[in-house]
Amino acid sequence: MRVAFGVVAFLAAMLVVQAVLFVWAVSQSGRSLPGQSPARLGQTVALDLTNVLERDPQTDLTKYVHDQYANYAHPFFVLMADGRYVTSGSQSFPEDMMRMARARLQGPPPGMRFGRGRGMGRRPPDGTDPSLPRRSAEGAEAGPPRPEWWQQPDRFVERLERDAAGAPFVRPAPIVLDGKLAGVVVVPPQAPFGLLLQRYGPMLALVGGSVLVLGTVLTSVLIFGPARRRLRELEGAARRLGSGDLSARAPAKGGDEIAAVAQAFNTMADDLAASDRARRQLLADVSHELNTPVTAVRGYLETLTMPEVKLDEETRGRYLRIIGDEAARIEHLIGDLLDLAKFEGGGGTLKHDAVPVAPLFERVAHRHERALEQAGVTLVTTIDPDAANVLGDRDRLEQVLQNLAANAIRFAPSGSTITLTARRPVPGAVVLSVEDQGPGISEEHLPHVFDRFYKADTSRVAAGGSGLGLSIVKAIVERHGGRVSVTSRPGRTVFEVSLPLDAADSTR
């Protein structure tokens, strides 16, 4: 919701800025109509009012100006000689503009010029001093002093011209009736910002508000609506997964961030489901593997403790040996489970030393010497000169080779050969391989031979095995930063362990 409010607030701010910039641009344009300057507008209005007043001197100027010019973007005002004051929109204009208009109305009539040798000269027609009050024949004052333009016409005209040249507005446009100056029209060169805001503000507010409401609705429906629904579905899937429903998945349609989060959630759910299946399978396999020896131990113990059953010493000894073998099997299974959990969980510390390969192969041969004799199998070792040493934990690498060799001996036919090889096919890695000439592994079982407790009639796990040996091999090799692989066909099965020559992370 904060994102939605942020988008709406941003849209509102942009609309306000757009409206203010629009009003400012109009105020700076100095145009009332395309191609018409403020001076031309003043002349047009003055000529129009002159024609109207000549036809009907009693015309209501306020109403006429409002009806004809209220929609003009550029304001102006009309000041008549009789004191009437009419505006087209704005009710306030600069005081110097008003003084200019009043001074123009108090100036000499149109066509009369004084000063600098122009017009009728420096003195009025009656020859009197314009600076003195008018007097009667008896010497008394005949009236008030003449206006400024009559007393000092040169100075008045110069002031008018100076004021007009330095004023921030154009010259007033005259309204002349019967040869007399009846009024002036004053148009500022730029429309006042306040006037334009007052004039266009309500319309812009209405349009902007409508756009804001419409944009908010469309944004909610088209953008936040689908996103909200998808987030709610993702939330529901997360809650179902948390309550134990491992089949819960979130819709991962689209290519946006929500789809990426949903995809990551689904991947996590798949991993959890796979882990849960593996955990259940592990529990089932452990229960099955432990059930057989435990049942056997319990059965033989019950037989031995039954007073009504008379057993000879040979039978009793055989039962006790079976009980011992099954107990050892349970111990071996538990040890393998602990080792596998430790390696897969990253527990324990591996040493990374330079380990000679030849002693490793010798210990494997000595450890399985009796089993090799009983199976009638020959063990052969081959070590390339550049693969005489590997980097790793000696005891764990020996455990890897022991498990692979034991697995090969189980399936090697009598008279065949098992080969232990150390070579360096590429720089930076040493490959240790165990090859046998057994019946091979079916293609459909190859991807699963390293899975814990994986068993099949043609798999590499024979009766009596725990089904964890190859899983332990894989865990140890990966802790060394290497990898283990298998290739198989009838008569040839090869397990290869590739180990890097640089130190691996002992905590990985």
Side-chain angles (χ1 to χ4, degrees), residues 256-273:
D256 55 2
E257 290 80 1
I258 299 178
V261 173
Q263 185 63 41
F265 172 83
N266 293 339
T267 302
M268 178 190 68
D270 293 338
D271 294 340
L272 289 176

PDB file of all heavy atoms in Angstrom, residues 256-273:
ATOM      1  N   ASP A 256       8.344 -10.232 -14.028  1.00  0.00           N
ATOM      2  CA  ASP A 256       8.705  -9.148 -13.118  1.00  0.00           C
ATOM      3  C   ASP A 256       9.278  -9.710 -11.828  1.00  0.00           C
ATOM      4  O   ASP A 256       9.553 -10.909 -11.696  1.00  0.00           O
ATOM      5  CB  ASP A 256       7.480  -8.273 -12.836  1.00  0.00           C
ATOM      6  CG  ASP A 256       6.300  -9.092 -12.303  1.00  0.00           C
ATOM      7  OD1 ASP A 256       6.464 -10.323 -12.131  1.00  0.00           O
ATOM      8  OD2 ASP A 256       5.223  -8.513 -12.085  1.00  0.00           O
ATOM      9  N   GLU A 257       9.475  -8.812 -10.841  1.00  0.00           N
ATOM     10  CA  GLU A 257      10.092  -9.211  -9.589  1.00  0.00           C
ATOM     11  C   GLU A 257       9.213 -10.174  -8.802  1.00  0.00           C
ATOM     12  O   GLU A 257       9.715 -11.067  -8.105  1.00  0.00           O
ATOM     13  CB  GLU A 257      10.390  -7.969  -8.736  1.00  0.00           C
ATOM     14  CG  GLU A 257      11.502  -7.093  -9.268  1.00  0.00           C
ATOM     15  CD  GLU A 257      11.048  -6.189 -10.394  1.00  0.00           C
ATOM     16  OE1 GLU A 257       9.853  -6.252 -10.742  1.00  0.00           O
ATOM     17  OE2 GLU A 257      11.884  -5.436 -10.923  1.00  0.00           O
ATOM     18  N   ILE A 258       7.882  -9.988  -8.889  1.00  0.00           N
ATOM     19  CA  ILE A 258       6.984 -10.892  -8.163  1.00  0.00           C
ATOM     20  C   ILE A 258       7.112 -12.302  -8.708  1.00  0.00           C
ATOM     21  O   ILE A 258       7.132 -13.287  -7.952  1.00  0.00           O
ATOM     22  CB  ILE A 258       5.538 -10.382  -8.255  1.00  0.00           C
ATOM     23  CG1 ILE A 258       5.413  -8.996  -7.611  1.00  0.00           C
ATOM     24  CG2 ILE A 258       4.574 -11.355  -7.597  1.00  0.00           C
ATOM     25  CD1 ILE A 258       4.033  -8.398  -7.701  1.00  0.00           C
ATOM     26  N   ALA A 259       7.193 -12.418 -10.035  1.00  0.00           N
ATOM     27  CA  ALA A 259       7.379 -13.743 -10.628  1.00  0.00           C
ATOM     28  C   ALA A 259       8.712 -14.353 -10.194  1.00  0.00           C
ATOM     29  O   ALA A 259       8.805 -15.566  -9.963  1.00  0.00           O
ATOM     30  CB  ALA A 259       7.309 -13.642 -12.151  1.00  0.00           C
ATOM     31  N   ALA A 260       9.754 -13.515 -10.090  1.00  0.00           N
ATOM     32  CA  ALA A 260      11.054 -14.027  -9.634  1.00  0.00           C
ATOM     33  C   ALA A 260      10.973 -14.541  -8.200  1.00  0.00           C
ATOM     34  O   ALA A 260      11.530 -15.599  -7.872  1.00  0.00           O
ATOM     35  CB  ALA A 260      12.117 -12.932  -9.757  1.00  0.00           C
ATOM     36  N   VAL A 261      10.274 -13.782  -7.345  1.00  0.00           N
ATOM     37  CA  VAL A 261      10.109 -14.232  -5.952  1.00  0.00           C
ATOM     38  C   VAL A 261       9.296 -15.522  -5.909  1.00  0.00           C
ATOM     39  O   VAL A 261       9.613 -16.453  -5.155  1.00  0.00           O
ATOM     40  CB  VAL A 261       9.437 -13.122  -5.116  1.00  0.00           C
ATOM     41  CG1 VAL A 261       9.102 -13.630  -3.726  1.00  0.00           C
ATOM     42  CG2 VAL A 261      10.346 -11.909  -5.022  1.00  0.00           C
ATOM     43  N   ALA A 262       8.209 -15.594  -6.723  1.00  0.00           N
ATOM     44  CA  ALA A 262       7.404 -16.804  -6.762  1.00  0.00           C
ATOM     45  C   ALA A 262       8.218 -17.996  -7.249  1.00  0.00           C
ATOM     46  O   ALA A 262       8.096 -19.110  -6.725  1.00  0.00           O
ATOM     47  CB  ALA A 262       6.181 -16.586  -7.652  1.00  0.00           C
ATOM     48  N   GLN A 263       9.067 -17.770  -8.268  1.00  0.00           N
ATOM     49  CA  GLN A 263       9.908 -18.854  -8.772  1.00  0.00           C
ATOM     50  C   GLN A 263      10.882 -19.331  -7.706  1.00  0.00           C
ATOM     51  O   GLN A 263      11.101 -20.539  -7.541  1.00  0.00           O
ATOM     52  CB  GLN A 263      10.663 -18.384 -10.016  1.00  0.00           C
ATOM     53  CG  GLN A 263      11.482 -19.471 -10.688  1.00  0.00           C
ATOM     54  CD  GLN A 263      10.630 -20.604 -11.207  1.00  0.00           C
ATOM     55  OE1 GLN A 263       9.556 -20.382 -11.754  1.00  0.00           O
ATOM     56  NE2 GLN A 263      11.099 -21.829 -11.032  1.00  0.00           N
ATOM     57  N   ALA A 264      11.476 -18.371  -6.977  1.00  0.00           N
ATOM     58  CA  ALA A 264      12.386 -18.748  -5.891  1.00  0.00           C
ATOM     59  C   ALA A 264      11.645 -19.515  -4.802  1.00  0.00           C
ATOM     60  O   ALA A 264      12.169 -20.494  -4.243  1.00  0.00           O
ATOM     61  CB  ALA A 264      13.049 -17.497  -5.315  1.00  0.00           C
ATOM     62  N   PHE A 265      10.425 -19.071  -4.509  1.00  0.00           N
ATOM     63  CA  PHE A 265       9.616 -19.789  -3.509  1.00  0.00           C
ATOM     64  C   PHE A 265       9.321 -21.210  -3.972  1.00  0.00           C
ATOM     65  O   PHE A 265       9.417 -22.165  -3.196  1.00  0.00           O
ATOM     66  CB  PHE A 265       8.314 -19.027  -3.261  1.00  0.00           C
ATOM     67  CG  PHE A 265       7.328 -19.761  -2.392  1.00  0.00           C
ATOM     68  CD1 PHE A 265       7.435 -19.716  -1.018  1.00  0.00           C
ATOM     69  CD2 PHE A 265       6.309 -20.514  -2.954  1.00  0.00           C
ATOM     70  CE1 PHE A 265       6.540 -20.411  -0.219  1.00  0.00           C
ATOM     71  CE2 PHE A 265       5.406 -21.204  -2.165  1.00  0.00           C
ATOM     72  CZ  PHE A 265       5.522 -21.158  -0.789  1.00  0.00           C
ATOM     73  N   ASN A 266       8.951 -21.360  -5.238  1.00  0.00           N
ATOM     74  CA  ASN A 266       8.648 -22.698  -5.755  1.00  0.00           C
ATOM     75  C   ASN A 266       9.887 -23.593  -5.735  1.00  0.00           C
ATOM     76  O   ASN A 266       9.793 -24.789  -5.444  1.00  0.00           O
ATOM     77  CB  ASN A 266       8.087 -22.595  -7.167  1.00  0.00           C
ATOM     78  CG  ASN A 266       6.718 -21.933  -7.203  1.00  0.00           C
ATOM     79  OD1 ASN A 266       6.020 -21.905  -6.193  1.00  0.00           O
ATOM     80  ND2 ASN A 266       6.344 -21.400  -8.343  1.00  0.00           N
ATOM     81  N   THR A 267      11.040 -23.010  -6.055  1.00  0.00           N
ATOM     82  CA  THR A 267      12.273 -23.790  -5.986  1.00  0.00           C
ATOM     83  C   THR A 267      12.549 -24.252  -4.557  1.00  0.00           C
ATOM     84  O   THR A 267      12.936 -25.415  -4.316  1.00  0.00           O
ATOM     85  CB  THR A 267      13.452 -22.951  -6.505  1.00  0.00           C
ATOM     86  OG1 THR A 267      13.183 -22.541  -7.857  1.00  0.00           O
ATOM     87  CG2 THR A 267      14.747 -23.738  -6.473  1.00  0.00           C
ATOM     88  N   MET A 268      12.344 -23.333  -3.610  1.00  0.00           N
ATOM     89  CA  MET A 268      12.524 -23.708  -2.208  1.00  0.00           C
ATOM     90  C   MET A 268      11.536 -24.792  -1.805  1.00  0.00           C
ATOM     91  O   MET A 268      11.889 -25.751  -1.104  1.00  0.00           O
ATOM     92  CB  MET A 268      12.346 -22.473  -1.321  1.00  0.00           C
ATOM     93  CG  MET A 268      12.467 -22.755   0.162  1.00  0.00           C
ATOM     94  SD  MET A 268      11.957 -21.353   1.175  1.00  0.00           S
ATOM     95  CE  MET A 268      10.192 -21.321   0.812  1.00  0.00           C
ATOM     96  N   ALA A 269      10.284 -24.648  -2.252  1.00  0.00           N
ATOM     97  CA  ALA A 269       9.284 -25.661  -1.927  1.00  0.00           C
ATOM     98  C   ALA A 269       9.649 -27.007  -2.534  1.00  0.00           C
ATOM     99  O   ALA A 269       9.467 -28.059  -1.901  1.00  0.00           O
ATOM    100  CB  ALA A 269       7.910 -25.203  -2.414  1.00  0.00           C
ATOM    101  N   ASP A 270      10.166 -26.995  -3.773  1.00  0.00           N
ATOM    102  CA  ASP A 270      10.598 -28.250  -4.392  1.00  0.00           C
ATOM    103  C   ASP A 270      11.734 -28.892  -3.592  1.00  0.00           C
ATOM    104  O   ASP A 270      11.743 -30.121  -3.388  1.00  0.00           O
ATOM    105  CB  ASP A 270      11.044 -27.997  -5.831  1.00  0.00           C
ATOM    106  CG  ASP A 270       9.894 -27.585  -6.739  1.00  0.00           C
ATOM    107  OD1 ASP A 270       8.732 -27.885  -6.397  1.00  0.00           O
ATOM    108  OD2 ASP A 270      10.164 -26.949  -7.783  1.00  0.00           O
ATOM    109  N   ASP A 271      12.684 -28.060  -3.155  1.00  0.00           N
ATOM    110  CA  ASP A 271      13.792 -28.599  -2.360  1.00  0.00           C
ATOM    111  C   ASP A 271      13.297 -29.168  -1.039  1.00  0.00           C
ATOM    112  O   ASP A 271      13.756 -30.240  -0.598  1.00  0.00           O
ATOM    113  CB  ASP A 271      14.831 -27.505  -2.101  1.00  0.00           C
ATOM    114  CG  ASP A 271      15.525 -27.057  -3.371  1.00  0.00           C
ATOM    115  OD1 ASP A 271      15.490 -27.814  -4.358  1.00  0.00           O
ATOM    116  OD2 ASP A 271      16.091 -25.947  -3.383  1.00  0.00           O
ATOM    117  N   LEU A 272      12.371 -28.445  -0.402  1.00  0.00           N
ATOM    118  CA  LEU A 272      11.821 -28.950   0.861  1.00  0.00           C
ATOM    119  C   LEU A 272      11.064 -30.256   0.646  1.00  0.00           C
ATOM    120  O   LEU A 272      11.165 -31.179   1.462  1.00  0.00           O
ATOM    121  CB  LEU A 272      10.902 -27.896   1.486  1.00  0.00           C
ATOM    122  CG  LEU A 272      11.584 -26.664   2.066  1.00  0.00           C
ATOM    123  CD1 LEU A 272      10.546 -25.672   2.568  1.00  0.00           C
ATOM    124  CD2 LEU A 272      12.514 -27.050   3.208  1.00  0.00           C
ATOM    125  N   ALA A 273      10.300 -30.302  -0.457  1.00  0.00           N
ATOM    126  CA  ALA A 273       9.569 -31.537  -0.743  1.00  0.00           C
ATOM    127  C   ALA A 273      10.534 -32.689  -1.009  1.00  0.00           C
ATOM    128  O   ALA A 273      10.326 -33.818  -0.536  1.00  0.00           O
ATOM    129  CB  ALA A 273       8.633 -31.325  -1.927  1.00  0.00           C
TER     130      ALA A 273
END
